[in-house]
Amino acid sequence: MNEQPTIGRNSHVTFSYQLFDENGLQIDASGSDEPLSYIHGYDLLISGLEEKMDGKQTGEEFTVALDPEDAYGERDESLIMKVERTEIPEEVDLQMGGRFTAINEQGDRMNLVVLDITDEDVVLDANHPLAGKAITYKVKIKNVRQATGQELTALGVSPDGKVH
């Protein structure tokens, strides 16, 4: 009898999910015909979710409640910044609560939320929208298999599992 593979390092995992906030309100879902795929063991998911995936098999369903430190982290007040309005590109449609992506000095992409707008300044928040919040995932494992050498290479990992 062939035993089903279990999720471990270098597993290619396909799964669907529903995401709920601390009040039980669904805030995201993968859609049953649009599952997500990732290679397990390389911190490609939030830590608490990836940890709970370990050892699961195709067909398993589970629910995991995560505190902020195991999800998107605590809010970091240093990620709230005031910038001169003239520093915001003209193509950005500034609106309270609006979101846009910018590139910082190091070349990293930052997702920003507009918290306040004055004639001179804009207050922006670079925290993840779910930072500081407890969340719950309902997950269904659709498929588990060994990642191919090509999939590992695309991650910067050699086919023997060594990170480059």
Side-chain angles (χ1 to χ4, degrees):
M1 183 170 126
N2 243 350
E3 193 172 309
Q4 280 193 34
T6 60
I7 297 174
R9 188 171 181 86
N10 297 331
S11 294
H12 180 280
V13 182
T14 303
F15 70 102
S16 60
Y17 72 91
Q18 292 176 294
L19 176 61
F20 299 88
D21 69 11
E22 50 214 358
N23 299 316
L25 179 69
Q26 183 175 319
I27 54 177
D28 194 16
S30 61
S32 58
D33 58 343
E34 298 174 19
L36 298 180
S37 295
Y38 78 103
I39 308 297
H40 191 77
Y42 296 96
D43 300 323
L44 298 174
L45 301 178
I46 58 174
S47 64
L49 181 57
E50 186 165 18
E51 183 180 300
K52 296 296 183 188
M53 299 283 254
D54 210 45
K56 301 284 194 250
Q57 296 180 316
T58 299
E60 284 194 60
E61 295 183 45
F62 63 97
T63 300
V64 58
L66 301 172
D67 290 326
E69 59 270 14
D70 295 322
Y72 292 95
E74 296 294 344
R75 287 190 54 75
D76 181 349
E77 296 306 310
S78 73
L79 295 177
I80 296 175
M81 60 202 96
K82 184 187 278 191
V83 298
E84 291 181 21
R85 203 167 172 158
T86 57
E87 292 183 49
I88 307 294
E90 287 183 27
E91 64 270 11
V92 173
D93 181 20
L94 283 179
Q95 297 179 22
M96 291 291 292
R99 299 172 190 271
F100 66 97
T101 301
I103 308 290
N104 67 14
E105 294 84 21
Q106 293 79 31
D108 298 322
R109 296 175 68 83
M110 297 173 51
N111 294 313
L112 302 168
V113 176
V114 178
L115 297 182
D116 193 28
I117 304 169
T118 68
D119 289 339
E120 298 84 29
D121 301 311
V122 178
V123 178
L124 302 169
D125 185 353
N127 281 289
H128 187 282
L130 294 175
K133 298 185 189 280
I135 57 174
T136 300
Y137 278 96
K138 287 188 178 179
V139 176
K140 178 169 183 167
I141 307 298
K142 301 283 194 177
N143 190 44
V144 178
R145 63 171 172 77
Q146 183 66 30
T148 66
Q150 185 177 10
E151 289 165 336
L152 292 171
T153 301
L155 274 180
V157 176
S158 63
D160 61 3
K162 293 185 177 147
V163 179
H164 296 197

